Amino acid sequence: MRQLTALLFITILIGCNPAKIDQKAEGEKLMQVSREWARSLSPDSIDRTMSFWADSAIFLSTNITPMNKAEIRKMIEESVRMPGFKMDWQPVSVSVSESGDMGYLIEKSQITYHNQTSDKPVTLYGQALTIWKKDADGNWKNVAEASFPAPAPNNQKQLTTSL
C-alpha cells in the first residue's frame, strides 16, 4: 500500500510540472519560419505568403494607418505587381516566451522596385519587430508587425536582444 501511495504521489507531482520548453530550439524554429516566409513572397504565391499571418494580424508602419489582414493582402498584391519588385528579409534576433507559445523577432529587410520616373531600380532598407503566436495546431503565426525605414546596411548596427 505504501508503494502504491508513493507511486500515486510521484505521478501527481510529475503531472503538475509541465515539460520545460527549449527556448533556444524554439527560437531557431521561429527564425526558420520567418526565412520560409521570405522565400514564399511572389505574385503566384499570395495565399502561401498570407498563411503566415494570423487572422487577427495587424501591420504598422511609418505614415500609414494600421492594417488588418485583408488590407495587408491588398498591399502585398499591389507590391508584387510593381515592375522589378523584390523583397527579402532576414531575422536578426529572436526571443521566445518560457511557455514556448509566443515570441518576437527583430528583422532586417530590403525592398527593390523599378522607379518608372528615373528608369532605375530603387532599394529601400527596413527593420521590423514581428510578434508571433502559436495557433491551435502549434504553427507560428505573425500577429503583429511594426516595420520602419533603416539606414543602408553599411550604416546598420547588429541588433541583439533578449528577454
Side-chain angles (χ1 to χ4, degrees):
M1 184 66 166
R2 268 188 178 167
Q3 291 176 340
L4 182 59
T5 303
L7 181 61
L8 182 60
F9 181 71
I10 291 170
T11 303
I12 290 170
L13 283 177
I14 291 171
C16 292
N17 290 330
K20 180 85 170 142
I21 299 297
D22 183 343
Q23 290 172 279
K24 184 175 180 180
E26 202 58 47
E28 287 300 320
K29 289 179 190 175
L30 180 51
M31 290 180 85
Q32 186 57 36
V33 168
S34 178
R35 290 180 193 109
E36 290 171 18
W37 188 20
R39 287 191 299 270
S40 78
L41 185 61
S42 73
D44 59 345
S45 65
I46 300 295
D47 289 339
R48 170 87 173 120
T49 300
M50 292 306 299
S51 73
F52 289 88
W53 290 96
D55 289 339
S56 61
I58 187 166
F59 177 82
L60 305 165
S61 190
T62 307
N63 297 323
I64 64 168
T65 58
M67 294 182 186
N68 63 29
K69 190 170 181 179
E71 294 163 326
I72 295 166
R73 182 183 189 98
K74 183 178 177 185
M75 175 185 65
I76 291 171
E77 289 172 342
E78 291 172 358
S79 296
V80 297
R81 286 195 303 258
M82 292 171 57
F85 179 84
K86 182 180 177 191
M87 181 175 188
D88 188 33
W89 65 89
Q90 281 293 322
V92 176
S93 66
V94 63
S95 185
V96 173
S97 66
E98 287 183 15
S99 61
D101 63 345
M102 289 200 70
Y104 68 85
L105 294 169
I106 303 295
E107 297 171 303
K108 61 181 179 177
S109 64
Q110 180 176 322
I111 299 172
T112 303
Y113 63 93
H114 185 80
N115 184 322
Q116 294 177 343
T117 305
S118 68
D119 200 34
K120 294 183 180 182
V122 174
T123 301
L124 304 172
Y125 298 93
Q127 54 197 351
L129 169 65
T130 56
I131 301 171
W132 296 76
K133 185 176 181 181
K134 282 192 176 176
D135 66 11
D137 296 326
N139 299 310
W140 285 109
K141 298 291 181 178
N142 185 331
V143 295
E145 178 173 336
S147 184
F148 305 97
N154 58 351
N155 294 328
Q156 286 184 334
K157 293 180 182 176
Q158 182 73 11
L159 297 176
T160 57
T161 186
S162 62
L163 285 179

